[in-house]
Amino acid sequence: AQSVTQLDSQVPVFEEAPVELRCNYSSSVSVYLFWYVQYPNQGLQLLLKYLSGSTLVKGINGFEAEFNKSQTSFHLRKPSVHISDTAEYFCAVKGDYKLSFGAGTTVTVRA
Amino acid sequence: EAGVAQSPRYKIIEKRQSVAFWCNPISGHATLYWYQQILGQGPKLLIQFQNNGVVDDSQLPKDRFSAERLKGVDSTLKIQPAKLEDSAVYLCASSLSDMAVYEQYFGPGTRLTVT
């Protein structure tokens, strides 16, 4: 069994400020980890993924995430956000063949 | 490359009515997924197909939901009869295979409102 907990349901942030979205997971087997973004009235788009290798993963739109096995975390960061980063962000884990999603974090970027 | 197509985009029905959603995956993608996303929650897998065979339907409420993927391409998801708690966005996704290295591509979803 596997599960994902996103620790913040809403994150307001000012434009050009940094942002961190926290994600913790649990699994009885080795996992692969993902971050997806969902803009209003759209499907999910993959931001980045960790499969193996370097624990610091870089994705699209300036996002990066760090896999920490000892803390079972996969936090997402961006050093400077834009208004266009306003969206819902989902952390997901794949331990068996099934992708399990967290409840999501709504990021609202204000000018 | 065309993305995952879904129709309709929006549907409003009364409880106890039936409804069907259609999905056309990316060409060549063997694996197709249907997810249910209730407001305020992450997507939950309903059913996964590998070509035209079912890999996992453990979370599909089989007394009212059914899905098929004829010829291993397009897929339809049906609800009959609908309940108020079925109000959600239904997302279709596809990938080359179910291995983690292959990205799942999502369609825009169908927003279902049951009144």
Side-chain angles (χ1 to χ4, degrees):
Chain A
Q2 60 200 29
S3 65
V4 179
T5 302
Q6 292 184 241
L7 300 170
D8 308 289
S9 60
Q10 297 196 30
V11 174
V13 59
F14 286 106
E15 193 174 20
E16 297 183 8
V19 69
E20 179 181 75
L21 309 184
R22 297 179 294 166
C23 172
N24 287 99
Y25 69 91
S26 66
S27 175
S28 56
V29 299
S30 296
V31 297
Y32 305 111
L33 295 154
F34 307 81
W35 276 99
Y36 286 84
V37 61
Q38 186 175 35
Y39 300 104
N41 298 315
Q42 294 186 29
L44 280 71
Q45 179 184 4
L46 182 67
L47 277 177
L48 48 79
K49 61 185 176 185
Y50 171 79
L51 301 181
S52 65
S54 173
T55 57
L56 183 62
V57 180
K58 293 189 183 298
I60 62 172
N61 301 340
F63 284 94
E64 63 180 31
E66 185 154 19
F67 170 55
N68 188 318
K69 188 175 182 179
S70 62
Q71 297 187 5
T72 61
S73 68
F74 191 54
H75 301 334
L76 181 71
R77 301 184 184 95
K78 185 170 183 178
S80 176
V81 296
H82 304 290
I83 297 291
S84 59
D85 292 320
T86 294
E88 185 103 20
Y89 293 80
F90 292 96
C91 182
V93 62
K94 190 170 187 178
D96 46 27
Y97 59 86
K98 184 163 58 181
L99 197 58
S100 297
F101 289 85
T105 298
T106 301
V107 173
T108 304
V109 182
R110 301 169 180 170
Chain B
E1 178 181 82
V4 177
Q6 290 187 248
S7 67
R9 291 294 312 275
Y10 305 91
K11 190 73 176 179
I12 301 174
I13 62 172
E14 295 182 352
K15 59 183 179 183
R16 291 187 290 273
Q17 286 186 324
S18 63
V19 64
F21 312 128
W22 173 81
C23 173
N24 180 234
I26 293 173
S27 177
H29 281 195
T31 311
L32 186 146
Y33 313 80
W34 282 102
Y35 290 88
Q36 180 191 57
Q37 186 179 16
I38 293 173
L39 187 64
Q41 299 181 20
K44 181 184 81 172
L45 180 69
L46 290 176
I47 188 167
Q48 177 181 336
F49 291 94
Q50 183 70 17
N51 296 309
N52 61 350
V54 176
V55 173
D56 181 4
D57 62 357
S58 58
Q59 297 198 81
L60 188 73
K62 298 181 187 62
D63 58 333
R64 298 183 300 105
F65 285 64
S66 65
E68 60 182 9
R69 190 183 184 197
L70 298 176
K71 301 180 181 178
V73 182
D74 293 5
S75 177
T76 55
L77 176 69
K78 297 178 182 177
I79 307 175
Q80 182 179 13
K83 293 185 176 181
L84 294 176
E85 59 260 37
D86 297 332
S87 293
V89 175
Y90 290 85
L91 295 166
C92 179
S94 71
S95 62
L96 280 170
S97 85
D98 64 354
M99 294 175 64
V101 67
Y102 294 113
E103 179 180 347
Q104 288 189 28
Y105 293 85
F106 285 80
T110 296
R111 183 177 299 277
L112 174 67
T113 302
V114 183
T115 63

